[in-house]
Amino acid sequence: MCGISGLIYRDKTRIDNTILKRMTDKMSHRGPDAEGFYINEDSNLGLGHRRLSIIDTSEAANQPFFFEDKHVLVFNGAIYNYIEIREELEKQGYTFKTNSDTEVLIASYDCWGEECTKKFNGMWAFAIFDSENNKLFCSRDRFGIKPFYYYADHDKFIFASEIKPILEVEKIEKVNVQILLQYLIMNMGDYKDTFFEGITILPASHNLVYDFNTHQFQMYKYYEIEFNKEINKLNLDESIKLFEEKFEESVRLRLRSDVKIGSALSGGLDSPYVTSVANKIIDKKNNRDFTAITVGSLDKRDDESGLAKIISEALKVNHDIVIPKPDEFNEILEDVIFMHEEPFAELSIFMQNFLMKEANKLGIKVFLDGQGADEILLGYSRYTAAFLRNHGWISNIKFLRGVKSHYNISILEAVKIYFYFSNYFIRKMRLQIRGSILKKKYLGVINFVQLKTLAKSYKNIFELQKNEIFYFLLPCILRIEDKNSMLYSIESRLPFLDYQFVETVLSINNNYKIRDGWSKYILRRGLEKFVPDEITYNNRKIGLNAPVEHWWPRSEKIIETINNSKIIQEISKKKFDFIEDRDLEWRLYNIAVWEKLYNMKIEK
């Protein structure tokens, strides 16, 4: 796991190491172990790299990495099946000087060209300078676990793992108004645009090819999730067996590391299942250095540390619990907003931040987490709307009778969710009411097209899940996961997002995911082999809820910060005296602090 950057000047401006070093220094936390640079004067290209050593920690695997005199690579991520690919390449005559996945990646490109990405099981954002074809080949992994930001104008093309390195070359202080309003009123992020006008994101499953002959670039999508009808025909027992086999294979691949490994451990289902399977595999290696970490809450209603302790004792795994205090939160408040580079939706982000901070303190460099499970296993309560739309009356009556167990919501709440999330006009009307805080000209700017697309997809669960994975919820979750983990030089690995596992689960009969009054039923059946039923069949979904009243009590200072924001003064009808919705209050406050930290401005 690393930080990459690149700069191409289309005019006569020359690149030197000074500018490249300024860019990589801005993300030194992503790679504290080594740095490197490459400049090609003929193409006017510069590449920079910061390294976090995970596989083959020797200097021989440092980057930029050269393949003969043909290719130069900067790479952020991990190719988990590099051993199998290496064996395939060796049969074709390739030899290797290191034991790294980096060398396998660049050799794969030499062998298969742009088709190489279809061979990889992993997470990545990389750029390869191909001197023979005079092009730069860039790629981002299938689900966008690793970031790739870029900026392009007539004079230059810049890319990096974070936004700050780009700002070292191109000073951008203009707010992307559409994204700002989308965040504030719709509480939605974006999969391809940022809050900084002109800075864009290479979407998941996309390659970007820059041609030095024409100084033009193009993008194309190389991957799509396919529905497997044969898997959908399997009975319950066959589906459970396949689910468990594929997940164990995913975890096994993600345990390949030359450094210390740990995992998150909540009191829910997702991270406990990851921890259980990982612990089972690691036991076979007699490695007892594996540690699970829990972030507890000062709010006892949301504190999962007690449940996590039951799990750790059942698994006999090393367990560490941290419960952050208000002064600890205040110490990192502005630093976290700065390091995330863009406003984020909830204070729960800080809970995950403390989780990664504790992992770093314990010397853990590879960290397993449960992100992605809710999206592929219909874990969110709003999926009740999709389930109801895709079943008949008899099935729906049975479903509603058990919805209290499914999602810990009442029948009335389930019906409300159905009408709200599956009906575009109802949802749009409610959001427009929320947007009544805005001046008329800004309320009219909000683009509801994405919302309409999402509402339509509730007619087909498979399409809904693909939309959330590629375009809506998951991109925002993964952006936060990456920023929080890399801030503490930790490589976060996500077994639920192995692409082969995702393809399998999305094809499994949905009636096995929600069954007998239980959400994520197929996962629970796997988890019950490891932990007590009080964990496996607990229907309360807590998540990393922050103790808002302890950390961030209402205050005049919060309101004053919001009202002093020039951006908020421009878009809001009036000054605020009291904001009842604390989530909205946080979003406004986050905008105000972000504006100050990055000197952002909005055009009037």
Side-chain angles (χ1 to χ4, degrees), residues 384 400 403-404 407-417:
T384 58
L400 287 170
V403 79
K404 184 71 176 174
Y407 295 103
N408 194 31
I409 58 176
S410 67
I411 292 176
L412 180 60
E413 286 173 308
V415 172
K416 286 180 178 179
I417 287 170

Side-chain angles (χ1 to χ4, degrees), residues 520-536:
K520 297 185 181 177
Y521 179 77
I522 199 167
L523 187 153
R524 293 178 196 268
R525 285 289 300 273
L527 185 61
E528 68 182 6
K529 299 173 183 177
F530 298 103
V531 301
D533 284 355
E534 65 182 298
I535 301 297
T536 305

Side-chain angles (χ1 to χ4, degrees), residues 236-330:
L236 177 60
D237 289 337
E238 291 169 336
S239 298
I240 290 172
K241 182 181 178 183
L242 181 63
F243 178 91
E244 292 176 351
E245 287 175 351
K246 287 291 185 181
F247 191 74
E248 186 166 324
E249 183 181 331
S250 171
V251 174
R252 193 181 300 278
L253 282 175
R254 282 155 184 78
L255 289 174
R256 288 177 171 174
S257 168
D258 295 328
V259 296
K260 187 175 179 180
I261 300 176
S263 76
L265 183 60
S266 70
L269 302 175
D270 309 335
S271 60
Y273 191 48
V274 172
T275 302
S276 299
V277 175
N279 192 51
K280 169 190 169 184
I281 297 169
I282 288 174
D283 269 347
K284 295 176 181 178
K285 298 180 179 180
N286 296 315
N287 181 350
R288 298 307 303 161
D289 203 25
F290 182 75
T291 300
I293 305 174
T294 300
V295 178
S297 175
L298 292 169
D299 188 336
K300 297 305 177 186
R301 296 169 301 174
D302 292 335
D303 183 28
E304 295 186 286
S305 59
L307 293 172
K309 189 174 181 182
I310 293 171
I311 297 167
S312 67
E313 289 174 351
L315 298 177
K316 296 181 173 58
V317 66
N318 296 332
H319 188 211
D320 181 80
I321 300 174
V322 57
I323 303 179
K325 305 295 189 297
D327 59 334
E328 295 175 276
F329 167 76
N330 290 324

